[in-house]
């Protein structure tokens, strides 16, 4: 391998401190490395030579012994190093042009020096009957709950709505714990789910509840109401729009299938690629195609739901919300939890603020607070508020996902349990 002679030279930098990375932390919303950015702690640690270390790459291999022994090719080692925070600048301290070049030397040396035979390439995750059924369950229970609400009256309708909401929530929780939508990255080095991910649930519930009741409440608030509670029907004084919620519940199945497709294809490309940049270039169109496929499936389900329930299809609002929730879950599944938490929180806060300003404008001297929302609703309708809010948030997450989910470390197989 190139660079071996230079690396054996006394005084070459060592990787002794490379394990002191932030692999146990949740990732930040944006990268902090790159051209022109301050040098990270990993880079500074790598630049400090250890006394008596004649072979710094060997020291690095010792620090990442399990990664080197289980790797099936150099790219898998590069993905693991990348997940531990080792950048191209760090590799330059080892006299290598990039992380992949450093990983090539480590792979060649472990195959020569190691006594343990290398394992077979990791197989793509298989489709299992349990997660297939679990992803179909939320849609089935949501359809049953909506049918029960339409067939009951008075207090019975309230009980049916509460029981249906609880059943759908439990089914969705079960679906997110199994299969492609579950978080399977807890044993993988690099970014791990942090406390921020636990704060996304209430905001997700708010966004779905707003899709169900928010537009009717906003229209009533601008007209001086609401005077009564929602009746659970689309033609009541506080109308209920159930078709977007039903379509989103039914879309759990397509979301799981498209997430599985992304994982399976990405792992195949991980085995075939010969560099981190090559892998990123191959995964970008795959990620875009997966996202577009989910949106097409959601649009079809929304058309079906609207036709069955007799409601006008709110395509912009439902597609924006569906895109936001899908991208947030996709990032969370691969261990990037911070950005989805921040974006979902901000989106729900903006929607809540839009309603709050309308009600606050009824106080003496505060009528101007409702002017922006009233202008927006008068021009484009009540659904323009969630459409613009969720659409902007989904666009931000799409840009973030394009950066994060095209990294090899995001698709590296989990490390075996110790």
């Amino acid at each position: 391998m190139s660079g071996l002679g230079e690396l054996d030279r006394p005084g070459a930098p060592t990787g002794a401190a490379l394990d002191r990375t932030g692999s146990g932390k949740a990732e930040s919303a944006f990268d902090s490395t790159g051209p022109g950015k301050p040098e990270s702690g990993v880079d500074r640690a790598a630049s400090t030579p250890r006394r008596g270390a004649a072979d710094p790459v060997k020291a690095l291999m010792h620090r990442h012994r399990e990664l080197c022994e289980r790797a099936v090719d150099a790219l898998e080692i590069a993905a693991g190093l990348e997940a531990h925070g080792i950048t191209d600048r760090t590799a330059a301290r080892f006299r290598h042009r990039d992380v992949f070049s450093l990983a090539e030397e480590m792979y060649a040396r472990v195959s020569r020096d190691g006594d343990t035979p290398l394992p077979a390439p990791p197989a793509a995750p298989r489709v299992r009957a349990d997660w297939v059924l679990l992803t179909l369950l939320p849609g089935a229970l949501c359809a049953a709950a909506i049918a029960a609400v339409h067939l009951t009256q008075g207090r019975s309708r309230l009980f049916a709505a509460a029981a249906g909401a609880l059943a759908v929530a439990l089914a969705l929780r079960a679906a997110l714990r199994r299969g492609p939508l579950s978080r399977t990255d807890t044993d993988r080095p690099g970014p791990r789910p942090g406390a921020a991910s636990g704060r996304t649930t209430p905001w997700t519930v708010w966004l779905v509840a707003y899709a169900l009741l928010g537009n009717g409440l906003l229209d009533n608030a601008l007209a001086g109401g609401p005077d009564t509670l929602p009746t659970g029907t689309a033609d009541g004084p506080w109308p209920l729009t159930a078709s977007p919620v039903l379509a989103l519940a039914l879309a759990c199945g397509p979301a799981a299938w498209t997430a599985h497709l992304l994982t399976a294809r990405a792992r195949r490309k991980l085995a075939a690629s010969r560099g981190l940049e090559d892998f990123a270039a191959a995964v970008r169109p795959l990620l875009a195609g997966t996202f577009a496929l989910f949106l097409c499936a959601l649009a079809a389900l929304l058309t079906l739901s609207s036709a069955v329930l007799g409601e006008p299809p709110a395509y912009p609002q439902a597609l924006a919300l569906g895109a936001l929730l899908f991208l947030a879950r996709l990032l969370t599944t691969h261990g990037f939890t911070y950005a989805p938490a921040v974006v979902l929180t901000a989106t729900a806060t903006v929607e809540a603020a839009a309603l709050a300003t309308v009600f606050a404008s009824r106080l003496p001297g505060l009528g101007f607070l409702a002017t922006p929302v009233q202008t927006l609703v008068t021009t484009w309708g009540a659904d323009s508020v969630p459409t613009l809010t969720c659409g902007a948030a989904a666009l931000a997450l799409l840009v973030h996902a394009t950066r994060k989910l095209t990294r090899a470390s995001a698709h590296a197989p989990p490390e075996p349990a110790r």
Side-chain angles (χ1 to χ4, degrees):
M1 296 292 298
S2 62
L4 280 174
E6 295 180 352
L7 283 168
D8 292 335
R9 218 170 42 192
T14 180
L18 284 179
D19 62 326
R20 291 181 290 178
T21 63
S23 62
K25 301 177 182 178
E27 50 86 36
S28 62
F30 300 98
D31 287 331
S32 61
T33 59
K37 298 297 178 76
E39 189 171 349
S40 66
V42 176
D43 297 334
R44 289 195 300 269
S47 64
T48 305
R50 189 176 64 178
R51 294 181 182 178
D55 192 349
V57 177
K58 189 172 184 179
L60 182 63
M61 292 171 61
H62 177 71
R63 298 286 180 182
H64 302 283
R65 181 174 55 84
E66 282 192 22
L67 172 65
C68 293
E69 288 178 351
R70 70 178 177 84
V72 297
D73 54 24
L75 185 60
E76 188 171 341
I77 295 180
L81 295 177
E82 182 188 49
H84 278 97
I86 298 177
T87 63
D88 289 344
R89 184 178 299 177
T90 310
R93 309 291 185 183
F94 291 87
R95 304 296 190 268
H96 281 273
R97 65 182 182 276
D98 53 29
V99 176
F100 184 70
S101 175
L102 174 62
E104 279 185 324
E105 178 179 342
M106 295 172 67
Y107 177 72
R109 292 176 65 170
V110 77
S111 62
R112 182 181 66 243
D113 300 335
D115 298 327
T116 305
L118 293 175
R126 294 185 301 174
V127 177
R128 294 176 50 183
D130 58 346
W131 69 255
V132 171
L133 294 176
L134 285 175
T135 54
L136 297 177
L137 192 58
L141 290 177
C142 185
I146 292 175
V149 168
H150 284 193
L151 295 175
T152 53
Q153 298 290 335
R155 185 171 296 180
S156 299
R157 174 175 290 174
L158 179 61
F159 289 151
L166 179 60
V168 172
L170 292 176
L172 185 60
R173 183 173 182 268
L176 296 181
R177 283 177 169 267
R178 297 283 186 90
L181 296 179
S182 64
R183 267 195 331 235
T184 57
D185 58 285
T186 53
D187 295 327
R188 182 186 303 145
R192 289 189 170 96
S197 63
R199 297 196 296 267
T200 61
T201 300
W203 304 118
T204 303
V205 172
W206 167 268
L207 293 172
V208 175
Y210 191 97
L212 186 67
L213 297 167
N215 293 339
L217 176 60
L218 185 58
D219 276 331
N220 271 269
L222 290 173
D227 300 323
T228 61
L229 293 175
T231 60
T233 60
D235 55 355
W238 185 346
L240 186 83
T241 53
S243 59
V245 177
L246 178 58
L248 288 172
L250 293 171
C252 286
W257 280 103
T258 50
H260 170 77
L261 177 65
L262 176 64
T263 300
R265 294 293 180 88
R267 292 218 181 146
R268 290 175 188 165
K269 292 184 182 299
L270 184 63
S273 298
R274 297 302 305 162
L276 297 178
E277 290 298 328
D278 293 342
F279 176 78
V283 171
R284 284 190 193 100
L286 176 61
L287 176 62
T290 300
F291 180 62
L293 184 61
F294 171 76
L295 289 184
C296 291
L298 179 59
L301 290 172
L302 184 61
T303 302
L304 177 63
S305 302
S306 301
V308 171
L309 297 177
E311 297 177 4
Y315 289 112
Q317 177 185 354
L319 291 178
L321 177 57
L324 173 61
L325 296 179
F326 177 69
L327 289 171
R329 191 62 205 177
L330 206 58
L331 283 164
T332 301
T333 297
H334 290 84
F336 304 103
T337 59
Y338 183 79
V342 170
V343 171
L344 289 177
T345 302
T347 306
T349 302
V350 171
E351 289 187 350
L355 288 172
T357 55
V358 173
F359 286 106
S361 67
R362 298 178 183 179
L363 298 175
L366 297 179
F368 66 92
L369 291 177
T371 301
V373 176
Q374 189 168 16
T375 303
L376 193 61
V377 172
T378 302
T379 305
W380 289 319
D383 61 346
S384 60
V385 173
T387 299
L388 293 176
T389 305
C390 294
L395 182 60
L397 277 189
L398 180 60
V399 173
H400 187 66
T402 303
R403 298 174 59 191
K404 293 294 185 180
L405 297 184
T406 55
R407 294 168 55 178
S409 57
H411 303 279
E415 289 184 357
R418 292 179 174 84

